[in-house]
Amino acid sequence: MEIELTRSEYIQVGVTSPKTTKILPMAKEKHGQKVVVADHEGAVTCFQMKRGDASIVFKTLPGPKITRLELGGPLGNVQDRIFVSCGPEIRGYNKKGKQFLNFDTNLTESIQTMAVYGSDLFLCGNYIYNHYRDCKDFNYYLSTDRINDTICVPSEQIDDVIPILACQDRVLRVIRDSDLRYQVDISGSPTCTCLMDPKGEILYGTSDGLFGVVHIGPTEPLHRWELPNDDNLGGVLCMESYDLFDDGKNEILVGRDDGLLQIYGYDETGDPEIKCKSTFSESITSVAGGRVANVNVNEAVVSTYAGWITGISVAQNHQGANGDYMKSATSEENQMKVDLLKSEIEELQVRIARERENYQYMASTDNRVSAVPQFSINDKFVLNGDDASYHLTLEVQMPIDNVLLQSDVPVDLLDLDKNSAVVSFSDVDIENGNHLLATYRCQANTTRLELKIRSIEGQYGTLQAYITPRCQPKSCQVRQYDVKPLSLHQRISALDESRPFNVLQLSGQFSLAEIHSWINFCLPDMPERASGDSVNMAFRSTFLDTQLECRYKKGEGIFRSDNLSTIAILKDVMTKEATKKKINLNISHDINDDSIAHALNIIHPKMEQQLSLAKRVQIIDALKELEVSEGGTTCLSESYREILANAEQLREEFKKQPSRLERLSGMITDLYLDTYKFKGQSVKNKVPALLELLNHYNLDSLIDFFTN
């Protein structure tokens, strides 16, 4: 039975970044712990709950956008000093708000992540890690891929601290001085880390929504456990290990980008299990455990993207607690608060109406004073490897009025249960490169919109989103997203060498940076720049489960794949990119005939499943008519009765996969054309015969058609 939670709204600040809310250690006071939060307006706000109200302890002046907030202090003392990163600077405040540090690092990159340990500062930009000791440059490391988070682990063996970088290429990099100690491969791109145990237990969460625990040893890691994301929940943005239920065991608090807060405990065997959850309308940027509203009640303090700070606690704890929280819960005081809030709302409504009239008057005069409202958008366009589709997430700090999608490349919009917006499609002009024009009209108070999009490999272009919020005067912001030639490929750690690979080899007068830019144009999830003298990366097609290897250096590139169409797309696109720069390429290839039957066997179960689903959906109406005319289903076979029983589920599944059968047929057709294109033959005149064969699909007949 799931535990009931109680939610309390505390305060709202500006838009927040991940990991910018912390709870200060408990002081010897009768009130709860203080909460400190930093926002994009550059302000650091510290508040404390007194008699049910948020009392501001201090608030700094606005300034540059703050990207990270950490607590620190001298080793062995209370860690109550506040460190924030804004641009290339680090600022430090004590618990009363007095600034004691203003350190300009002079870094070329803005600081994105930070860890503090005693007098050591571990700062990371997008690719560069810097270690400062007493504000003096101590160590430096250049990562091969983007750094998403950093954490430091005290080490008993070497009497020092171990910095760990969570990088986009699905690796945790353990650093020693300015060198790589070793790296830990994990199943997804890590977005956040959390110290679970000072002895080296690290909790990590990924953009794919899974999380796990790994032990960081002095020479090698040890994977403890990893919890998969079977329910396709949002990516993990923040985590915390805290004893929320006051049972002597730390629970795991997980905040996701779809607004879901999960609290995990452990079962009798020591495996993690969900205890309770709470849903927010915005992405959760930070979560921290402490005693804020009441010194006797544990709670999780959650901050969201728009800056709402909320307390989550177990309901039964509040019922048995005493102190300020219960004192403020009397009916008389509650009624006084309600009356005060009503009067404040009425006063604000009058002021808003008066200011709106003044604005309209000024805009209608000869001066025509009008200001375009500024608003922040948090957007993501990421590939979901489970269903081979892109998830586009748009989050605005104010309610969204509508979103217009336009694409110059063919894409499919898939149904998403979380999406309550009304979509309408407009006519498009395909001849002029406009393949999609769709408008999503959002309901009132919708600040977050999720869309699911599937692209076609081999066709590439740009998807544009025009976001219009509910504000006056009307304004719109545009976001652009690249749909790449091999858009459905995802990074993996290594290839399966038992597969039959086709090989494409390129050589010419090109630099490492040039060939890296061509591959970055073709494939998603690539680092912005290449490091070292050579690069070796592996990818997996999320739609077909075929694989691709890219090995390249200055003047040479070698590509291997068990799908010949992947090789053909790479060849065509890279040849065009080289031609734009007037670079001559020497191209050679080695085609493995076994790869054709191998690829068809991979497609076969997907074709059979989709054909079976389409046939079952097609006969549902006829079976229902037969059921009515016969007065029951006794005349039907067991398989037909099963179709009727699951009719709605089958239709829903078919609705969620539009054009999937056409996509698979198109992939088989492209594979057939590419096979003979590499052999120097044109077989376009045989495509109608192939399509006829696909209408009466049989794997053996299809393989014979390809080979003969």
Side-chain angles (χ1 to χ4, degrees), residues 103-119:
F103 174 43
D104 189 352
T105 62
N106 293 318
L107 296 176
T108 56
E109 294 181 338
S110 295
I111 299 169
Q112 302 297 328
T113 64
M114 170 177 61
V116 181
Y117 185 77
S119 60

PDB file of all heavy atoms in Angstrom, residues 103-119:
ATOM      1  N   PHE A 103      35.456  34.888  -6.497  1.00  0.00           N
ATOM      2  CA  PHE A 103      36.608  34.300  -7.179  1.00  0.00           C
ATOM      3  C   PHE A 103      36.331  34.231  -8.673  1.00  0.00           C
ATOM      4  O   PHE A 103      35.435  33.506  -9.110  1.00  0.00           O
ATOM      5  CB  PHE A 103      36.883  32.907  -6.609  1.00  0.00           C
ATOM      6  CG  PHE A 103      37.961  32.144  -7.324  1.00  0.00           C
ATOM      7  CD1 PHE A 103      39.141  32.761  -7.714  1.00  0.00           C
ATOM      8  CD2 PHE A 103      37.802  30.795  -7.608  1.00  0.00           C
ATOM      9  CE1 PHE A 103      40.131  32.046  -8.371  1.00  0.00           C
ATOM     10  CE2 PHE A 103      38.771  30.076  -8.260  1.00  0.00           C
ATOM     11  CZ  PHE A 103      39.945  30.706  -8.638  1.00  0.00           C
ATOM     12  N   ASP A 104      37.084  35.012  -9.456  1.00  0.00           N
ATOM     13  CA  ASP A 104      36.977  34.980 -10.916  1.00  0.00           C
ATOM     14  C   ASP A 104      38.002  33.977 -11.443  1.00  0.00           C
ATOM     15  O   ASP A 104      39.210  34.190 -11.331  1.00  0.00           O
ATOM     16  CB  ASP A 104      37.240  36.366 -11.499  1.00  0.00           C
ATOM     17  CG  ASP A 104      36.928  36.427 -12.995  1.00  0.00           C
ATOM     18  OD1 ASP A 104      36.662  35.358 -13.592  1.00  0.00           O
ATOM     19  OD2 ASP A 104      36.956  37.539 -13.562  1.00  0.00           O
ATOM     20  N   THR A 105      37.513  32.879 -12.004  1.00  0.00           N
ATOM     21  CA  THR A 105      38.411  31.808 -12.460  1.00  0.00           C
ATOM     22  C   THR A 105      39.075  32.120 -13.791  1.00  0.00           C
ATOM     23  O   THR A 105      40.018  31.429 -14.182  1.00  0.00           O
ATOM     24  CB  THR A 105      37.620  30.499 -12.609  1.00  0.00           C
ATOM     25  OG1 THR A 105      36.598  30.677 -13.595  1.00  0.00           O
ATOM     26  CG2 THR A 105      36.980  30.116 -11.284  1.00  0.00           C
ATOM     27  N   ASN A 106      38.556  33.119 -14.528  1.00  0.00           N
ATOM     28  CA  ASN A 106      39.071  33.462 -15.867  1.00  0.00           C
ATOM     29  C   ASN A 106      38.966  32.298 -16.849  1.00  0.00           C
ATOM     30  O   ASN A 106      39.748  32.199 -17.800  1.00  0.00           O
ATOM     31  CB  ASN A 106      40.534  33.936 -15.785  1.00  0.00           C
ATOM     32  CG  ASN A 106      40.655  35.257 -15.056  1.00  0.00           C
ATOM     33  OD1 ASN A 106      39.854  36.161 -15.258  1.00  0.00           O
ATOM     34  ND2 ASN A 106      41.650  35.354 -14.185  1.00  0.00           N
ATOM     35  N   LEU A 107      38.016  31.406 -16.624  1.00  0.00           N
ATOM     36  CA  LEU A 107      37.823  30.285 -17.545  1.00  0.00           C
ATOM     37  C   LEU A 107      37.140  30.768 -18.824  1.00  0.00           C
ATOM     38  O   LEU A 107      36.360  31.716 -18.822  1.00  0.00           O
ATOM     39  CB  LEU A 107      36.975  29.195 -16.883  1.00  0.00           C
ATOM     40  CG  LEU A 107      37.580  28.511 -15.663  1.00  0.00           C
ATOM     41  CD1 LEU A 107      36.577  27.520 -15.057  1.00  0.00           C
ATOM     42  CD2 LEU A 107      38.860  27.775 -16.036  1.00  0.00           C
ATOM     43  N   THR A 108      37.450  30.097 -19.931  1.00  0.00           N
ATOM     44  CA  THR A 108      36.820  30.447 -21.211  1.00  0.00           C
ATOM     45  C   THR A 108      35.391  29.928 -21.283  1.00  0.00           C
ATOM     46  O   THR A 108      34.580  30.461 -22.036  1.00  0.00           O
ATOM     47  CB  THR A 108      37.635  29.867 -22.377  1.00  0.00           C
ATOM     48  OG1 THR A 108      37.779  28.445 -22.207  1.00  0.00           O
ATOM     49  CG2 THR A 108      39.025  30.494 -22.421  1.00  0.00           C
ATOM     50  N   GLU A 109      35.072  28.871 -20.525  1.00  0.00           N
ATOM     51  CA  GLU A 109      33.722  28.321 -20.479  1.00  0.00           C
ATOM     52  C   GLU A 109      33.015  28.769 -19.211  1.00  0.00           C
ATOM     53  O   GLU A 109      33.650  28.983 -18.177  1.00  0.00           O
ATOM     54  CB  GLU A 109      33.749  26.783 -20.492  1.00  0.00           C
ATOM     55  CG  GLU A 109      34.271  26.171 -21.765  1.00  0.00           C
ATOM     56  CD  GLU A 109      34.229  24.652 -21.695  1.00  0.00           C
ATOM     57  OE1 GLU A 109      34.204  24.104 -20.575  1.00  0.00           O
ATOM     58  OE2 GLU A 109      34.226  24.016 -22.753  1.00  0.00           O
ATOM     59  N   SER A 110      31.709  28.911 -19.290  1.00  0.00           N
ATOM     60  CA  SER A 110      30.936  29.162 -18.079  1.00  0.00           C
ATOM     61  C   SER A 110      30.896  27.897 -17.228  1.00  0.00           C
ATOM     62  O   SER A 110      30.845  26.783 -17.752  1.00  0.00           O
ATOM     63  CB  SER A 110      29.503  29.582 -18.437  1.00  0.00           C
ATOM     64  OG  SER A 110      29.506  30.816 -19.109  1.00  0.00           O
ATOM     65  N   ILE A 111      30.912  28.078 -15.924  1.00  0.00           N
ATOM     66  CA  ILE A 111      30.895  26.937 -15.006  1.00  0.00           C
ATOM     67  C   ILE A 111      29.496  26.327 -15.010  1.00  0.00           C
ATOM     68  O   ILE A 111      28.509  27.005 -14.746  1.00  0.00           O
ATOM     69  CB  ILE A 111      31.299  27.378 -13.594  1.00  0.00           C
ATOM     70  CG1 ILE A 111      32.725  27.938 -13.604  1.00  0.00           C
ATOM     71  CG2 ILE A 111      31.201  26.211 -12.618  1.00  0.00           C
ATOM     72  CD1 ILE A 111      33.111  28.641 -12.321  1.00  0.00           C
ATOM     73  N   GLN A 112      29.412  25.041 -15.328  1.00  0.00           N
ATOM     74  CA  GLN A 112      28.132  24.344 -15.380  1.00  0.00           C
ATOM     75  C   GLN A 112      27.900  23.466 -14.154  1.00  0.00           C
ATOM     76  O   GLN A 112      26.767  23.327 -13.700  1.00  0.00           O
ATOM     77  CB  GLN A 112      28.059  23.479 -16.651  1.00  0.00           C
ATOM     78  CG  GLN A 112      28.233  24.256 -17.941  1.00  0.00           C
ATOM     79  CD  GLN A 112      27.149  25.279 -18.166  1.00  0.00           C
ATOM     80  OE1 GLN A 112      25.999  25.095 -17.755  1.00  0.00           O
ATOM     81  NE2 GLN A 112      27.485  26.378 -18.813  1.00  0.00           N
ATOM     82  N   THR A 113      28.958  22.843 -13.635  1.00  0.00           N
ATOM     83  CA  THR A 113      28.830  21.959 -12.472  1.00  0.00           C
ATOM     84  C   THR A 113      29.951  22.270 -11.493  1.00  0.00           C
ATOM     85  O   THR A 113      31.016  22.773 -11.873  1.00  0.00           O
ATOM     86  CB  THR A 113      28.889  20.479 -12.881  1.00  0.00           C
ATOM     87  OG1 THR A 113      30.181  20.189 -13.436  1.00  0.00           O
ATOM     88  CG2 THR A 113      27.832  20.161 -13.919  1.00  0.00           C
ATOM     89  N   MET A 114      29.718  21.929 -10.231  1.00  0.00           N
ATOM     90  CA  MET A 114      30.667  22.306  -9.185  1.00  0.00           C
ATOM     91  C   MET A 114      30.572  21.330  -8.026  1.00  0.00           C
ATOM     92  O   MET A 114      29.499  20.804  -7.725  1.00  0.00           O
ATOM     93  CB  MET A 114      30.362  23.732  -8.724  1.00  0.00           C
ATOM     94  CG  MET A 114      31.101  24.182  -7.477  1.00  0.00           C
ATOM     95  SD  MET A 114      30.755  25.903  -7.028  1.00  0.00           S
ATOM     96  CE  MET A 114      28.999  25.835  -6.738  1.00  0.00           C
ATOM     97  N   ALA A 115      31.706  21.081  -7.394  1.00  0.00           N
ATOM     98  CA  ALA A 115      31.755  20.319  -6.146  1.00  0.00           C
ATOM     99  C   ALA A 115      32.726  21.027  -5.207  1.00  0.00           C
ATOM    100  O   ALA A 115      33.744  21.575  -5.644  1.00  0.00           O
ATOM    101  CB  ALA A 115      32.198  18.878  -6.396  1.00  0.00           C
ATOM    102  N   VAL A 116      32.399  21.026  -3.906  1.00  0.00           N
ATOM    103  CA  VAL A 116      33.213  21.708  -2.903  1.00  0.00           C
ATOM    104  C   VAL A 116      33.604  20.710  -1.833  1.00  0.00           C
ATOM    105  O   VAL A 116      32.756  19.959  -1.331  1.00  0.00           O
ATOM    106  CB  VAL A 116      32.438  22.890  -2.280  1.00  0.00           C
ATOM    107  CG1 VAL A 116      33.308  23.612  -1.261  1.00  0.00           C
ATOM    108  CG2 VAL A 116      31.952  23.847  -3.346  1.00  0.00           C
ATOM    109  N   TYR A 117      34.903  20.700  -1.482  1.00  0.00           N
ATOM    110  CA  TYR A 117      35.381  19.813  -0.413  1.00  0.00           C
ATOM    111  C   TYR A 117      36.488  20.541   0.335  1.00  0.00           C
ATOM    112  O   TYR A 117      37.625  20.655  -0.145  1.00  0.00           O
ATOM    113  CB  TYR A 117      35.912  18.509  -0.995  1.00  0.00           C
ATOM    114  CG  TYR A 117      36.326  17.485   0.046  1.00  0.00           C
ATOM    115  CD1 TYR A 117      35.382  16.735   0.732  1.00  0.00           C
ATOM    116  CD2 TYR A 117      37.665  17.287   0.353  1.00  0.00           C
ATOM    117  CE1 TYR A 117      35.758  15.807   1.688  1.00  0.00           C
ATOM    118  CE2 TYR A 117      38.054  16.357   1.302  1.00  0.00           C
ATOM    119  CZ  TYR A 117      37.101  15.618   1.964  1.00  0.00           C
ATOM    120  OH  TYR A 117      37.478  14.690   2.919  1.00  0.00           O
ATOM    121  N   GLY A 118      36.138  21.085   1.516  1.00  0.00           N
ATOM    122  CA  GLY A 118      37.124  21.835   2.281  1.00  0.00           C
ATOM    123  C   GLY A 118      37.574  23.070   1.516  1.00  0.00           C
ATOM    124  O   GLY A 118      36.770  23.906   1.098  1.00  0.00           O
ATOM    125  N   SER A 119      38.877  23.186   1.297  1.00  0.00           N
ATOM    126  CA  SER A 119      39.437  24.316   0.543  1.00  0.00           C
ATOM    127  C   SER A 119      39.584  24.005  -0.935  1.00  0.00           C
ATOM    128  O   SER A 119      40.197  24.779  -1.670  1.00  0.00           O
ATOM    129  CB  SER A 119      40.809  24.688   1.119  1.00  0.00           C
ATOM    130  OG  SER A 119      41.703  23.575   1.035  1.00  0.00           O
TER     131      SER A 119
END
